[in-house]
């Protein structure tokens, strides 16, 4: 296992910084012993990921906790980045991204999803999807505005909403058979006069849910009725498996939605380059330009030599995208079977890098305790999903495993998990 990458995801970055010295920050406060951190960020202290990663290192466990691949992306893309570094692409790229990348994103949106965007004004390159999400929320939400998102949610959503002084309104996804579903009544009730934004992640981390056309149509009609902006996190857009109930469908393609939707995605998951942090947002010019106004003061620009490489990768033949997905699907099947054989109740994901599983059949009642003991019990690390909920009881017995790992790593994890039975 490449342990050097253990703390590579945004969810772990805070904790890596924390472990490497931010703990001492109170000494830097004007008033000794006062916590200098703004109150709105205090709920985001040490996360479970630092603890789990430290456990993985201490016990030599196989880390299926974090969502990064342990192989590199397409060779053409890697070569293009190396070539860009050696041919002078090492200074600030333009704030909105190099034209080549913006054109490639526009072409990708047209080819795959039938969405038309003007590369000059309707597309913006960002430092990963994470920056696009943060800049979008900071640009579009006034303090007190409400943001609807489905829980369990990707952890940066809550932090970005808090930074903006906005309020999150989670709607719960609950397992029903193999799929996760939401209660349409609960969703309708979440929309109100303060709702500014729907933040929608499909395919969804951590549940692996792919929202169906019917579900998206309900969401779209509520956005239109309440004049709400839809912001979509589509980083797993190419990772929908062959047996999913629906293909990936950007909500922007539904009637009346293009003009109120900002689509966000990134290269990290599709091209196995999570460390490059090249992302993008596409949408109507007035939304994109608002986001750019904020983004220019966050990073201004990033990833000079990686932008042309990602532009090239976006234009790879369809066989790259389907081949990558098919290969990941076999790894999904392998891990799902291994987890089932070890006694978990598995919720088979329709997409993404992750599978969630109920620990109740193994006698588990609390995912955090379960994950804390898992490395000692069998040498594997997983992540408790209750940390992604505002209502942790909803996910108390559900844990998440990543299958974006080499087959031999998964085989080893599976043989270790058998010790649980
Ligand atoms: C749902 C979701 N959104 C966004 C991200 C982060 O994307 P990026 O690395 O491009 O910032 C991740 C990474 O795990 C994710 O799972």
């Amino acid at each position: 296992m490449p342990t050097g990458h253990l703390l590579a995801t945004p969810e772990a970055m805070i904790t890596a910084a924390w472990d490497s010295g931010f703990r001492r920050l109170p000494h830097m406060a004007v008033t000794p012993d006062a916590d200098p951190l703004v109150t709105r960020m205090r709920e985001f202290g040490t996360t479970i990921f630092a603890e789990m990663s430290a456990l993985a290192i201490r016990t030599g466990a196989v880390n299926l906790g974090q969502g990064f691949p342990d192989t590199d992306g397409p060779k053409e893309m890697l070569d293009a980045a190396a070539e860009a570094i050696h041919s002078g692409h090492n200074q600030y790229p333009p704030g909105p991204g190099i034209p080549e990348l913006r054109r490639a994103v526009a072409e990708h949106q047209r080819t795959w999803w039938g969405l038309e965007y003007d590369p000059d004004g309707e597309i913006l390159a960002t430092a990963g999807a994470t920056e696009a999400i943060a800049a979008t929320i900071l640009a579009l939400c006034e303090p007190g505005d409400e943001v609807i998102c489905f829980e369990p949610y990707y952890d940066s959503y809550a932090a970005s909403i808090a930074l903006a002084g906005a309020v999150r309104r989670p709607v719960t996804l609950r397992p029903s058979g193999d799929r996760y579903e939401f209660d349409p009544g609960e969703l309708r009730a979440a929309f109100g006069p303060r709702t500014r934004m729907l933040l929608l992640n499909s395919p969804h981390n951590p549940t692996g849910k792919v929202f169906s056309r019917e579900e998206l149509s309900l969401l779209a009609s509520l956005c239109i009725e309440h004049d709400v902006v839809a912001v979509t996190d589509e980083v797993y857009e190419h990772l929908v498996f062959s047996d999913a109930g629906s293909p990936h469908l950007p909500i922007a393609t539904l009637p009346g939605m293009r003009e109120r939707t900002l689509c966000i995605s990134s290269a990290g998951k599709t091209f196995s380059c999570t460390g490059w942090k090249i992302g993008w947002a596409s949408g109507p010019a007035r939304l994109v330009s608002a986001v750019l106004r904020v983004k220019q003061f966050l990073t201004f620009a990033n990833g000079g030599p990686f932008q042309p490489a990602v532009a090239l990768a976006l234009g790879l033949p369809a066989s790259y995208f389907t081949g990558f997905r098919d290969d990941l699907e076999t790894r999904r099947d392998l891990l799902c079977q291994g987890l089932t054989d070890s006694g978990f109740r598995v919720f088979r994901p329709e997409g993404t890098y992750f599978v969630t599983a109920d620990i109740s059949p193994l006698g588990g009642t609390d995912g955090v305790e379960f994950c804390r003991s898992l490395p000692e019990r069998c040498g594997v690390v997983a992540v408790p999903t209750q940390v992604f909920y505002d209502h942790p009881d909803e996910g108390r017995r559900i844990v998440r495993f990543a299958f974006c790992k080499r087959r031999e790593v998964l085989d080893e994890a599976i043989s270790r998990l058998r010790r649980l039975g």
Side-chain angles (χ1 to χ4, degrees), residues 3 18 42 77 85 113 158 165 188 196 288 313 334-335 394:
T3 50
W18 179 267
R42 289 206 189 140
M77 179 188 81
I85 287 173
W113 317 124
R188 278 198 193 88
R196 170 66 172 147
V288 169
L334 185 69
L335 186 58
E394 298 277 2

Side-chain angles (χ1 to χ4, degrees), residues 9-11 67 127-131 133 154 157 201 205 233 235-236 266-269 274 277-279 354:
T9 62
E11 62 204 10
T130 309
E131 188 199 32
I133 293 161
Y154 181 58
Y157 300 173
N201 173 214
N205 170 12
D233 176 344
V235 298
Y236 299 102
S266 74
K269 311 292 175 174
T274 57
K277 298 298 285 186
I278 301 296
F354 307 107

Side-chain angles (χ1 to χ4, degrees), residues 26 58 71 96 112 157-158 163 165 232 313 361 364 368 413:
R58 205 175 71 228
T71 48
W112 285 94
Y157 300 173
L163 275 174
T232 63
V368 171

Side-chain angles (χ1 to χ4, degrees), residues 48 52 64-65 152 175 180 205-207 335 339 344-347 354-362 364-374 380-389 394-402 417 420:
I48 196 77
M52 293 300 149
L64 301 187
Y180 279 78
N205 170 12
T207 65
L335 186 58
L339 290 169
F344 291 88
R345 155 105 177 81
V346 172
F347 306 112
F354 307 107
V355 52
T356 57
D358 189 337
I359 57 176
S360 312
L362 289 163
T365 52
D366 183 276
V368 171
E369 272 170 29
F370 183 87
C371 289
R372 278 191 183 134
S373 68
L374 204 57
V380 174
V381 162
V383 167
T385 68
Q386 70 209 58
V387 299
F388 305 129
Y389 289 80
E394 298 277 2
R396 198 164 298 285
R397 291 160 192 241
I398 300 176
V399 299
R400 184 193 84 173
F401 295 86
L417 285 163
L420 288 175

Side-chain angles (χ1 to χ4, degrees), residues 9 52 60 67 92 96 102 108 111 132 143 172 174 188 193 218 247 283 285 291 297 303 365 391 409:
T9 62
M52 293 300 149
Y92 299 126
R102 286 184 274 118
H108 171 273
T111 311
T172 308
R174 298 186 183 88
R188 278 198 193 88
L218 173 60
V291 177
F297 299 116
T365 52
H391 307 99
V409 173

Side-chain angles (χ1 to χ4, degrees), residues 47-208:
T47 74
I48 196 77
F49 297 99
E51 186 184 339
M52 293 300 149
S53 294
L55 258 181
I57 293 166
R58 205 175 71 228
T59 58
V62 179
N63 191 351
L64 301 187
Q66 294 190 343
F68 61 88
D70 57 1
T71 48
D72 283 328
K75 183 173 180 315
E76 307 89 307
M77 179 188 81
L78 303 176
D79 289 346
E83 167 66 19
I85 287 173
H86 291 293
S87 61
H89 291 78
N90 297 304
Q91 311 309 327
Y92 299 126
I98 59 168
E100 210 177 330
L101 176 59
R102 286 184 274 118
R103 281 197 297 271
V105 171
E107 188 55 37
H108 171 273
Q109 294 291 68
R110 178 183 312 118
T111 311
W112 285 94
W113 317 124
L115 284 163
E116 297 285 341
Y117 293 107
D118 181 350
D120 296 321
E122 293 193 316
I123 289 173
L124 170 65
T126 57
T130 309
E131 188 199 32
I133 293 161
T136 299
I137 295 172
L138 288 166
L140 302 181
C141 294
E142 297 287 2
D145 280 354
E146 292 181 4
V147 178
I148 296 177
C149 54
F150 288 94
E151 67 173 3
Y153 44 72
Y154 181 58
D155 61 354
S156 86
Y157 300 173
S160 294
I161 292 168
L163 275 174
V167 178
R168 59 181 185 266
R169 283 296 306 260
V171 175
T172 308
L173 294 174
R174 298 186 183 88
S176 158
D178 259 8
R179 279 194 98 228
Y180 279 78
E181 283 174 4
F182 60 87
D183 172 355
E186 206 180 298
L187 176 70
R188 278 198 193 88
F191 278 81
R194 293 304 310 257
T195 311
R196 170 66 172 147
M197 182 182 289
L198 166 73
L199 180 48
L200 174 67
N201 173 214
S202 180
H204 181 264
N205 170 12
T207 65

